[in-house]
Amino acid sequence: MNHPLRHLPPVQAVLEARPALWLAQRFSRAEVVEAVRAALEEARVAVRADPDAPLPDCSGEAFFEDLAARILAARRPRLRPVINATGIIIHTNLGRAPLAPEALDAVREAACGYANLELDLETGKRGSRHALVETLLCELTGAEAALVVNNCAAAVLVSLSALAAGGEVIASRGELIEIGGAFRMPDVITQSGATLREVGTTNKTTLADYDRAIGAETRVLLKSHTSNFRIVGFTEVPTRKALSVLARDRDLVLVEDLGSGVLVDLAPFGLVDEPVVGDILRAGVDLVTFSGDKLLGGPQAGIIAGRRTVIGRLKGHPLLRAMRIDKLSLAALEATLRLYRAPHDPFKAVPVLKMVAEAPDNVQARAARLTRMIGAKTQAEAQTTPTKAFAGGGSLPQQDLPSHGVVVTQPGVSPEALSTALRAADPPVIGRIVDGCVLLDMRAVADEDLPAIVSALAKAAA
Ligand SMILES: *Cc1c(COP(=O)(O)O)cnc(C)c1O
């Protein structure tokens, strides 16, 4: 039987051809073997699907050029920049907050040489890495003291371990949250060595509920920011002020896990439910935990801020050492925090805040420009459309930011296939599918990214 697949050479035969030997010198034999296998397998799949599909000429120049391209593609770094056209500014899958240039400069300086990470330059003695950002954090939040660990999940675990292990943590049933990545508050409390005492109901918890639950073993009253969901309707929670008075009267610590934790008020942009760290501490909360790479706009980090005596009880806990922040993140965090002080304006200097604050008209102008560019340079059809963008990162799930995007269609191509092609571009373009069309939201896209989006679409058509 003269099956077309019989005309495909064995891997070994391709490898012995002279151009393959050159490739093995330029790259490595293992990579060439891998590329040849993949190319032959692709041809087999194509012929099985359609017996009349053309077979590659496995001795031709084009075939070996294709092998080289495959090897180069496989050699690309796995972690690559992507264009975020999802309309979600802080997207955990896309690396959360982009850093400001000032933060990058600080990382470069700290990374290339040595730094006084744990050296007190005045005394010449061992210093604390926490001290490098503590003053700034206190200045920006009004806290008496602060510590930094590698993320907010660690900040919660360290805090509860140090304050409540062997005792009880009281939390409202309406605040037993799960954050993405299986961070479940009841499990975290158990991991900390404390026992969870649930009070109230899903929608209503009163001060009396907390009061009645307090016993000899109680150590902490825990509030958690219900950052990724909302219960609406018939609801009630005690104020922070009331909880803090109760905690003080009964000699307990009031801890609040804020998650995102903003340092500036976002209400002028319509985002009214994200509490400002300073306000929470002023309301009497003893200790707050929040992320460095959510609305703060810095590197991955977990910040613990609050009363000096309470922070003092955390110092020296072994988990603090196990979850300590590295020098690169610390450098980026310090530089980011400085952007919140005059003469800087955080809404101009911190990228996530800049994206939150950008006027809808500006975003619309970018969408219109992209629409024109796509029309002029590709086969795709594009249309500017109003959209809803989100702060993301588990913050403000119900509050959207007015935004604008471009709906892209490619005649004869399904939206799923178009999305896949855009993800395969270099850099990959990540949009979403809305009402059966690919939508590219412009709120988290930079002007400089537009040409790359256009060439991704042009390639997708080809
Ligand atoms: C995001 C979030 C966390 C976890 O923060 P990471 O920095 O990702 O560890 C914890 N609590 C809340 C309320 C959050 O929103």
Side-chain angles (χ1 to χ4, degrees):
M1 199 181 97
N2 196 13
H3 195 276
L5 286 181
R6 285 190 43 206
H7 297 292
L8 277 180
V11 173
Q12 195 52 39
V14 179
L15 289 175
E16 278 160 17
R18 190 175 294 268
L21 297 176
W22 288 334
L23 282 177
Q25 270 176 12
R26 183 174 155 205
F27 302 107
S28 70
R29 196 181 134 80
E31 286 167 292
V32 180
V33 172
E34 192 52 44
V36 172
R37 282 212 179 105
L40 293 180
E41 181 55 25
E42 235 167 67
R44 262 180 231 118
V45 169
V47 169
R48 274 190 215 113
D50 171 12
D52 295 329
L55 285 178
D57 169 8
C58 295
S59 55
E61 203 176 321
F63 182 74
F64 290 99
E65 272 167 17
D66 172 62
L67 291 183
R70 282 171 192 271
I71 295 170
L72 285 172
R75 278 195 171 193
R76 269 197 316 224
R78 290 301 178 91
L79 183 63
R80 290 191 289 149
V82 304
I83 294 175
N84 176 8
T86 64
I88 298 164
I89 296 173
I90 301 158
H91 200 307
T92 299
N93 299 4
L94 303 183
R96 291 199 182 158
L99 292 180
E102 289 86 348
L104 281 180
D105 290 345
V107 169
R108 195 172 299 113
E109 292 219 339
C112 288
Y114 299 101
N116 62 322
L117 183 63
E118 289 193 352
L119 176 74
D120 185 326
L121 290 175
E122 272 174 38
T123 63
K125 299 221 165 75
R126 181 165 186 173
S128 156
R129 67 181 66 210
H130 302 287
L132 298 170
V133 287
E134 184 173 23
T135 316
L136 261 171
L137 282 169
C138 291
E139 178 190 318
L140 296 170
T141 64
E144 292 173 1
L147 288 172
V148 190
V149 288
N150 63 20
N151 61 19
C152 183
V156 176
L157 183 59
V158 172
S159 301
L160 296 181
S161 301
L163 301 173
E168 269 177 14
V169 171
I170 297 181
S172 161
R173 290 197 168 91
E175 295 179 356
L176 294 174
I177 54 175
E178 172 177 322
I179 306 300
F183 175 88
R184 294 180 150 197
M185 201 48 97
D187 299 341
V188 175
I189 293 171
T190 305
Q191 276 298 321
S192 75
T195 307
L196 166 64
R197 179 100 196 238
E198 299 176 25
V199 294
T201 62
T202 311
N203 56 322
K204 274 193 129 195
T205 303
T206 64
L207 191 66
D209 290 328
Y210 285 92
D211 195 4
R212 272 197 299 272
I214 295 172
E217 302 305 316
T218 310
R219 303 281 177 274
V220 164
L221 302 185
L222 176 65
K223 248 189 98 58
S224 303
H225 187 36
T226 52
S227 54
N228 56 5
F229 72 99
R230 187 117 310 163
I231 294 172
V232 293
F234 191 53
T235 65
E236 183 177 334
V237 288
T239 63
R240 293 184 178 90
K241 187 106 231 157
L243 274 176
S244 80
V245 170
L246 179 64
R248 191 129 350 124
D249 284 352
R250 309 296 282 271
D251 211 13
L252 304 172
V253 181
L254 176 59
V255 175
E256 180 159 355
D257 176 29
L258 283 173
S260 201
V262 283
L263 302 181
V264 286
D265 189 10
L266 300 183
F269 310 103
L271 306 180
V272 294
D273 277 349
E274 196 60 42
V276 177
V277 176
D279 294 342
I280 306 272
L281 291 170
R282 267 189 295 283
V285 174
D286 298 307
L287 202 72
V288 293
T289 52
F290 56 99
S291 288
D293 57 355
K294 290 187 180 171
L295 281 165
L296 184 75
Q300 181 183 307
I303 295 157
I304 309 172
R307 257 179 240 297
R308 189 182 315 284
T309 48
V310 181
I311 295 275
R313 291 169 60 191
L314 270 57
K315 286 186 176 160
H317 193 281
L319 278 182
L320 207 55
R321 169 64 182 81
M323 295 170 176
R324 77 180 179 191
I325 187 169
D326 73 294
K327 68 172 176 178
L328 305 189
S329 304
L330 201 54
L333 181 62
E334 183 185 5
T336 304
L337 291 172
R338 284 184 191 284
L339 299 175
Y340 282 84
R341 289 205 302 205
H344 299 288
D345 173 355
F347 290 106
K348 296 206 172 83
V350 177
V352 291
L353 294 181
K354 199 170 154 191
M355 288 187 254
V356 166
E358 188 177 26
D361 284 357
N362 259 13
V363 183
Q364 183 174 27
R366 185 152 60 246
R369 215 179 119 212
L370 180 61
T371 300
R372 282 194 303 274
M373 289 165 75
I374 292 171
K377 297 200 171 129
T378 77
Q379 307 296 314
E381 283 161 19
Q383 201 179 354
T384 308
T385 181
T387 61
K388 287 176 177 172
F390 293 89
S395 59
L396 307 157
Q398 299 294 9
Q399 294 176 46
D400 47 77
L401 291 157
S403 183
H404 294 270
V406 181
V407 174
V408 189
T409 48
Q410 175 88 40
V413 180
S414 74
E416 288 77 18
L418 188 55
S419 288
T420 304
L422 288 173
R423 281 200 311 277
D426 191 18
V429 177
I430 317 294
R432 32 181 183 139
I433 296 178
V434 176
D435 298 332
C437 293
V438 171
L439 172 68
L440 303 175
D441 191 296
M442 289 297 107
R443 189 165 276 277
V445 169
D447 285 325
E448 306 85 80
D449 290 336
L450 300 188
I453 296 178
V454 174
S455 60
L457 275 168
K459 271 223 189 77

